[in-house]
Amino acid sequence: MTARENGSDLARLERMEQRLQALEDAEAIRNLKAHYAALCDNQYDADGIAALFTEDALWESPALGCFEGREAIRGFFRGASQIFSFAIHYSMNGHIEVNGDTARARWYLFMPCTVAAGNRATWRAGIDHETYARVDGSWMFRHKRSEPLMSVPFETGWARTRFA
């Protein structure tokens, strides 16, 4: 094998390793998102959820508020089950872009839930825009912003009004 062929093989191997790393990173981010949803659906485990965010993270939702820093996020989720007494977070159609130790994604969220005030069954949907950072070898949320698409009572649905 010539030096040129050896260099070409090495370059191919490096590209393959980079592609494999990107796939592994995207899968780790999918698992992070699934873990977040499971913690939310388990009565909003505030400590578990907060541990998924960087110290300086930002969590924001036009309907629920803006919380900066892990402790503020923890504080919000301590009271979240008083807002939603039941919820199932379906995160779908994730589009993840990895760039080294940072990444971003867009997810569609469908969330059948019960609004605690009035014990109202509600359909909620939105788009989650997220950025992530690899911290000490693990992926964490850096910024999570929800863009609401609908929030309507179960009985009436979304055909006439998307926000009740």
Side-chain angles (χ1 to χ4, degrees):
M1 181 177 289
T2 68
R4 183 176 192 183
E5 291 171 328
N6 193 26
S8 178
D9 287 344
L10 184 57
R12 263 195 304 266
L13 181 59
E14 287 174 356
R15 284 192 305 274
M16 186 169 36
E17 287 174 351
Q18 290 170 346
R19 291 192 335 256
L20 178 59
Q21 185 64 56
L23 290 170
E24 289 176 346
D25 290 340
E27 187 62 17
I29 290 167
R30 277 186 199 84
N31 286 331
L32 173 68
K33 183 71 171 176
H35 192 188
Y36 171 85
L39 292 167
C40 287
D41 296 343
N42 185 22
Q43 297 299 302
Y44 295 96
D45 176 343
D47 292 331
I49 292 168
L52 303 178
F53 286 81
T54 62
E55 286 290 337
D56 63 345
L58 179 64
W59 186 100
E60 58 182 323
S61 165
L64 300 172
C66 182
F67 305 93
E68 189 169 352
R70 183 181 289 158
E71 291 311 310
I73 293 166
R74 183 188 325 273
F76 167 72
F77 280 104
R78 281 192 179 125
S81 63
Q82 302 304 311
I83 300 168
F84 300 107
S85 57
F86 169 80
I88 297 182
H89 292 69
Y90 293 102
S91 301
M92 302 169 280
N93 298 354
H95 181 257
I96 302 168
E97 297 174 1
V98 177
N99 185 12
D101 288 335
T102 62
R104 64 188 203 175
R106 183 188 69 243
W107 304 87
Y108 283 89
L109 172 68
F110 181 65
M111 187 178 126
C113 62
T114 303
V115 175
N119 196 37
R120 292 176 307 162
T122 303
W123 299 110
R124 291 175 64 88
I127 300 173
D128 288 338
H129 303 273
E130 300 171 349
T131 61
Y132 314 91
R134 189 188 332 254
V135 178
D136 297 327
S138 296
W139 285 100
M140 302 181 84
F141 289 97
R142 174 169 269 156
H143 184 197
K144 181 178 186 332
R145 179 178 59 86
S146 296
E147 175 188 339
L149 296 176
M150 72 172 185
S151 180
V152 296
F154 172 80
E155 298 81 12
T156 59
W158 53 84
R160 293 179 191 215
T161 305
R162 288 192 331 180
F163 294 96

